[in-house]
Amino acid sequence: MYRFLLTRQWVILTLVGLVLIPVMIELGFWQLHRHEQRVARNNRIERSLTRPPVPVTELTAPGREVPSDNVWRRGTARGRYDVKGEVVARLRTDNSGKSGYMVITPFVLEDGKAILVNRGWVPADAGQREFPQVPAPPSGTIDLVGRLRADEDPGSGIRDTKGLPPRMIMIINSRRQGEQLHRPMLGGYLELISPAPDGQPQTIDDPDHSSIGNHMAYTVQWWLFSAFVPVGWVILVRRERRDQMAAAAAAAPKDPKDPADPAGSTTTAKPEPEPKAEAQSDPEPKPEPQPKAGATAAPPASD
């Protein structure tokens, strides 16, 4: 009845279904983990942004990576900008998604250490290979507040292009810039929050920490797909069996004694008996009228 399942076509179809089921289940768990990571990231950013600012030297140190709990924390610093070490990071977008540069300026603290400060975004009016027009930073000793970010590296998804024009970089990395400036550089960098007077580069907004994306929807989608595979396989098997049974019934010889097939019936219909003709009886002779009493019979006619 189900011998067709052993054919090459059905064996291949069954094997493909058996492979797809665990793959789809695994893809569902992958999307679920991404959802959980996104939620955890949003919670971490929210906690960091709501905590009170502290001196940046309490959040990071020279030559060290920024702890994950301190990323996005607000740090304060007092010192002055070192314009001589200023560079721009290429292919960066502003708050509306327009491409341009980020202005990266070392900020020298009162103890002689320095930290990179992302002063904000400027447009690439002259193209991506011409140094843009960058407003000069405030001079003298100032106090600033910024969000602490971890150093970027080639593994963070940013292509580290070589052979760039002078004072242009692709990734913001405190260790690289510290080696070029020959100055102890705190790990990570600050995204400037304040002061941000008019005429300065456009500061960066707080990161989005409310959106969770579509990862949970994709999780449900992949798991539904994994459930549809066996259901679809059963439907196809039942349809194939029904089609084969119908084809076998159509090809089978007809039974001549089958009363359902009038063409194959050999029974001869008996002719209906003709109605017998009714015997015609002679009509009864009518009685001759009798002469009435007292009447005289007429004499016979004479010749």
Side-chain angles (χ1 to χ4, degrees):
M1 184 180 298
Y2 291 98
R3 292 183 62 84
F4 63 87
L5 294 176
L6 300 178
T7 61
R8 180 180 180 182
Q9 175 184 358
W10 277 95
V11 169
I12 294 176
L13 181 63
T14 303
L15 291 177
V16 170
L18 292 176
V19 172
L20 287 177
I21 292 174
V23 170
M24 291 178 178
I25 293 176
E26 184 62 27
L27 288 173
F29 278 112
W30 171 58
Q31 288 293 339
L32 178 62
H33 294 157
R34 293 195 63 185
H35 170 77
E36 294 173 345
Q37 292 172 0
R38 185 67 176 269
V39 172
R41 172 184 176 274
N42 290 347
N43 294 336
R44 184 171 62 251
I45 293 175
E46 184 177 7
R47 288 194 305 268
S48 297
L49 294 177
T50 54
R51 296 176 69 177
V54 296
V56 69
T57 53
E58 297 182 10
L59 302 176
T60 182
R64 296 183 181 180
E65 295 183 359
V66 179
S68 59
D69 290 339
N70 291 343
V71 177
W72 301 111
R73 285 286 306 273
R74 289 178 296 169
T76 61
R78 182 179 179 85
R80 56 181 176 81
Y81 283 110
D82 181 11
V83 184
K84 294 182 180 180
E86 187 173 77
V87 296
V88 293
R90 300 174 70 242
L91 302 176
R92 303 301 172 111
T93 57
D94 64 354
N95 298 323
S96 63
K98 185 179 179 181
S99 181
Y101 297 94
M102 291 296 182
V103 180
I104 310 300
T105 308
F107 189 80
V108 182
L109 305 179
E110 292 180 325
D111 59 2
K113 300 175 185 178
I115 186 170
L116 297 178
V117 176
N118 181 356
R119 293 170 52 204
W121 179 89
V122 294
D125 295 331
Q128 289 289 342
R129 298 194 68 85
E130 296 290 336
F131 197 85
Q133 295 182 356
V134 179
S139 58
T141 301
I142 62 171
D143 295 311
L144 61 79
V145 180
R147 294 179 295 268
L148 184 60
R149 298 291 306 276
D151 283 322
E152 299 174 351
D153 55 65
S156 59
I158 303 176
R159 183 177 179 181
D160 189 13
T161 305
K162 304 297 182 181
L164 296 177
R167 302 177 63 191
M168 288 189 181
I169 60 175
M170 290 299 297
I171 62 176
I172 306 173
N173 188 282
S174 62
R175 185 170 301 176
R176 290 188 181 184
Q177 298 306 116
E179 293 174 354
Q180 295 181 7
L181 298 175
H182 306 286
R183 183 188 297 274
M185 193 77 66
L186 298 179
Y189 64 95
L190 288 176
E191 282 184 349
L192 182 63
I193 299 177
S194 64
D198 295 337
Q200 291 295 308
Q202 176 185 337
T203 56
I204 308 302
D205 293 340
D206 288 344
D208 178 22
H209 55 281
S210 60
S211 174
I212 59 175
N214 298 324
H215 302 299
M216 180 56 70
Y218 294 151
T219 298
V220 177
Q221 174 182 297
W222 281 118
W223 287 348
L224 287 177
F225 286 165
S226 67
F228 289 159
V229 171
V231 173
W233 185 87
V234 171
I235 293 175
L236 292 176
V237 168
R238 295 183 64 181
R239 181 181 299 174
E240 181 70 15
R241 177 175 175 269
R242 184 176 63 249
D243 293 345
Q244 290 194 6
M245 291 179 64
K254 301 296 183 179
D255 185 0
K257 297 182 179 181
D258 187 359
D261 185 10
S265 176
T266 58
T267 304
T268 304
K270 295 181 179 179
E272 295 183 1
E274 295 182 358
K276 296 181 179 179
E278 296 181 357
Q280 296 183 356
S281 57
D282 294 336
E284 297 180 359
K286 295 181 179 180
E288 294 182 358
Q290 298 293 330
K292 293 182 179 180
T296 303
S302 59
D303 293 336

